[in-house]
Amino acid sequence: MRDRTLRHYAGRPQRSSGGRISLRPLRLCLRPLRLKALDRKVRKGLCKGRKESPILGQVRLELLLPMAKTDEIIQRERRFLLPTYNRYPIALERGKGVFLYDCEGNRYLDFVAGLGVNALGHAHPRVVKVIREQAARAIHFSNLYYNEYQGRLAEKLCQLSGLNRAFFSNSGTEAIEGSIKLARLAGHRAGGEAKSQLVALEGSYHGRTFGAMSLTGQDKYRKGFEPLLEDVKFVPRNDLEALRQAINDHTCAIVLEPIFGEGGIYECSVEFLQECRALADRHRAALIFDEIQCGLGRTGTIFAFQAFGVTPDIVAIAKPIAAGLPLGAFLAKEEFASAISAGQHGTTFGGGPLASKRRPRIPGDRRRGKTPGKCDASGNLFARAVEGSGRASWSGERSPGAWPDPRAAASCPGAPYRRRGAGRRRALEQHTGHGPAFSAAIPAAGEARGQRHACAQEIIAEETAGVAETKMRRAKAPRGKRQ
């Protein structure tokens, strides 16, 4: 009689899977085998014949350990999703406050904040309450009709920014696209169709749609998608002479990030932004600020341009505006907003009641909780804590050992330095004075640049967070009371 094998998977008889097996402990309870029942399962085709085995006479049991839930998620995504993301091997399940929890029950301190989206943390109770209430009433209306929340949010943003009108989109890159269209319309009205040139900065990042990608000054995002928009000139950040040479009467817009995000944590100087403002006024061009990453409280003021004292004609925002719901916007002065008319731009989902309803409360939350001021204070504290360790010298554009400006530190705490590959991690670990400071790997974005940046917006383990917190507390405490 042939040996018959029952493959036992997660407590239930199944055919064997060729998938990856995660070697996790499984508690077994040995009981007398009911061979008749087993034989029935074999005859039904659940088990395959094998050669004779000395184990249990003529029946051999093979135990396949259950695949971890994270592995299942990873394999399913690899099979069915486009391979557009280089993900960390972590499957997140939920969040609460500043903490994240994965499918295996591990807890992490969240420095990524959903790439700058979750400014109020995860599962903020007031946000959860409003979303539940509105979802029970209506999630989406067409923009062919009015809803009571979109106008309220637009009014709040205009009051906070000093600009006049708003348009709501689904994302930041769409906000940039709308800003470009508005600038082109205003340019054509002011100087004819020839007034269509755009000026952007080298090393910048504005999004992945074609207009935004055309303004992005990094070849790695543009390569393979050419030809992009024509009449786009790039100038180095803070290079006044190159800026003056690039702008003329055919320029319809100057587009820039006051503080670079994806391109590194580098800020434009006040003098450079003031010159942009003067040249835009002289040539009747729009000055567009991309504050998708650095705006809405992350620099110590509601908008980053308020910290520099230079007001743009158009500003694009997104990320934390809806605490995780898809929403972006651009705000404009009346001079430029009046160039567009009904039917020339639109969106299906932008400014829907679910995303818009909760937002009028949040700027109030920010003022009551003094969140922007805390961003500034935390950026300074973080800078002093790392700078005070004295274990390494950061070489940036400032003097050796200098930390980026508090505006940049609050926006995206980071330190520029000239290290490559694994040397980056070792330098960072030496500098902070403890073990692996960040999860998995420091992001490799910008690997081709000579000037590097290590971004603290990573997910770090709880024990590492405790060490970092202790360092920051010591830096804050008076000298006589430090432990």
Side-chain angles (χ1 to χ4, degrees):
M1 178 179 180
R2 281 205 229 163
D3 168 40
R4 293 172 294 238
T5 303
L6 173 66
R7 292 185 176 270
H8 198 278
Y9 184 85
R12 292 174 296 179
Q14 297 181 358
R15 288 188 176 90
S16 62
S17 170
R20 176 181 172 188
I21 299 174
S22 177
L23 299 179
R24 302 175 64 204
L26 184 67
R27 191 168 66 183
L28 304 177
C29 181
L30 299 178
R31 296 177 180 175
L33 291 172
R34 298 178 61 183
L35 296 180
K36 289 185 178 180
L38 177 62
D39 193 57
R40 285 197 301 270
K41 295 179 184 293
V42 172
R43 285 199 301 269
K44 288 181 179 179
L46 294 176
C47 307
K48 295 181 180 179
R50 296 292 176 89
K51 65 181 181 180
E52 185 174 350
S53 169
I55 302 176
L56 297 179
Q58 292 180 321
V59 177
R60 179 178 65 191
L61 297 180
E62 292 184 6
L63 181 66
L64 298 185
L65 300 179
M67 183 184 297
K69 186 175 181 180
T70 298
D71 294 334
E72 292 181 14
I73 293 171
I74 291 173
Q75 288 195 22
R76 186 174 295 111
E77 290 205 3
R78 286 178 176 172
R79 181 178 176 185
F80 294 106
L81 289 181
L82 285 176
T84 55
Y85 301 105
N86 186 20
R87 301 186 195 270
Y88 290 101
I90 299 172
L92 298 176
E93 192 171 56
R94 63 187 179 91
K96 183 65 177 177
V98 297
F99 292 105
L100 290 168
Y101 301 83
D102 66 16
C103 295
E104 312 302 325
N106 299 310
R107 185 169 79 157
Y108 304 88
L109 179 62
D110 184 9
F111 274 76
V112 176
L115 294 177
V117 170
N118 300 310
L120 298 176
H122 299 275
H124 190 291
R126 299 182 73 179
V127 175
V128 171
K129 179 183 177 182
V130 174
I131 288 177
R132 282 176 175 169
E133 291 175 353
Q134 182 58 38
R137 298 182 62 194
I139 294 176
H140 173 72
F141 295 135
S142 167
N143 277 310
L144 295 174
Y145 312 102
Y146 293 96
N147 74 72
E148 61 179 304
Y149 308 116
Q150 194 171 145
R152 291 183 188 178
L153 177 53
E155 180 184 18
K156 180 70 70 175
L157 291 172
C158 289
Q159 289 173 350
L160 292 171
S161 65
L163 301 178
N164 304 113
R165 292 185 182 270
F167 177 88
F168 294 108
S169 62
N170 306 297
S171 63
T173 188
E174 292 176 47
I176 289 294
E177 295 284 347
S179 301
I180 297 171
K181 289 178 69 175
L182 187 61
R184 279 271 176 95
L185 285 170
H188 292 168
R189 183 177 65 177
E193 293 187 3
K195 193 173 180 62
S196 60
Q197 293 179 358
L198 301 166
V199 175
L201 301 186
E202 295 176 2
S204 62
Y205 175 83
H206 297 287
R208 296 180 183 271
T209 50
F210 261 77
M213 194 162 49
S214 300
L215 297 173
T216 294
Q218 299 184 61
D219 288 337
K220 64 179 181 179
Y221 295 110
R222 300 161 57 92
K223 187 176 180 180
F225 301 104
E226 298 89 350
L228 301 176
L229 289 184
E230 299 177 354
D231 292 335
V232 179
K233 297 180 180 179
F234 291 96
V235 299
R237 178 180 53 89
N238 294 338
D239 190 331
L240 297 178
E241 188 57 36
L243 180 69
R244 296 185 186 110
Q245 292 179 2
I247 296 174
N248 53 48
D249 288 338
H250 291 161
T251 302
C252 73
I254 307 166
V255 187
L256 59 87
E257 301 167 276
I259 302 174
F260 280 19
E262 188 74 17
I265 315 306
Y266 307 122
E267 66 180 63
C268 297
S269 66
V270 174
E271 296 76 17
F272 183 77
L273 296 179
Q274 289 175 343
E275 185 66 16
C276 288
R277 177 71 276 172
L279 290 170
D281 292 339
R282 185 181 310 159
H283 295 283
R284 302 178 68 189
L287 178 59
I288 302 174
F289 279 7
D290 178 348
E291 295 201 12
I292 292 165
Q293 295 210 40
C294 65
L296 297 179
R298 300 188 72 195
T299 62
T301 55
I302 296 295
F303 292 90
F305 69 78
Q306 293 167 338
F308 292 94
V310 177
T311 302
D313 300 305
I314 304 171
V315 60
I317 55 176
K319 297 289 187 183
I321 189 174
L325 295 174
L327 187 65
F330 64 89
L331 315 175
K333 292 180 178 178
E334 186 65 39
E335 173 189 353
F336 293 88
S338 61
I340 200 166
S341 58
Q344 289 187 302
H345 195 52
T347 177
T348 297
F349 296 102
L354 184 64
S356 299
K357 179 178 179 180
R358 54 157 301 280
R359 283 308 308 164
R361 298 188 180 193
I362 299 308
D365 288 343
R366 287 177 174 272
R367 286 197 296 273
R368 284 194 294 273
K370 301 180 180 179
T371 303
K374 288 182 179 179
C375 288
D376 201 8
S378 298
N380 286 323
L381 180 60
F382 183 81
R384 291 199 303 271
V386 179
E387 192 69 32
S389 66
R391 293 176 180 264
S393 293
W394 302 101
S395 59
E397 294 180 313
R398 307 170 196 278
S399 58
W403 191 265
D405 187 90
R407 286 191 294 266
S411 171
C412 180
Y417 63 103
R418 299 181 186 278
R419 294 296 182 95
R420 297 191 180 189
R424 296 198 293 176
R425 173 178 290 281
R426 288 193 294 270
L428 186 61
E429 290 171 1
Q430 283 182 339
H431 193 65
T432 53
H434 52 84
F438 301 88
S439 68
I442 302 300
E447 196 65 25
R449 294 191 304 272
Q451 185 80 329
R452 309 295 170 186
H453 76 277
C455 184
Q457 289 190 310
E458 280 294 298
I459 303 177
I460 65 177
E462 183 180 358
E463 55 269 21
T464 303
V467 176
E469 184 179 8
T470 301
K471 278 181 168 288
M472 295 179 74
R473 285 177 178 172
R474 287 179 179 174
K476 190 175 182 180
R479 289 184 178 276
K481 296 184 179 180
R482 293 184 186 179
Q483 298 179 353

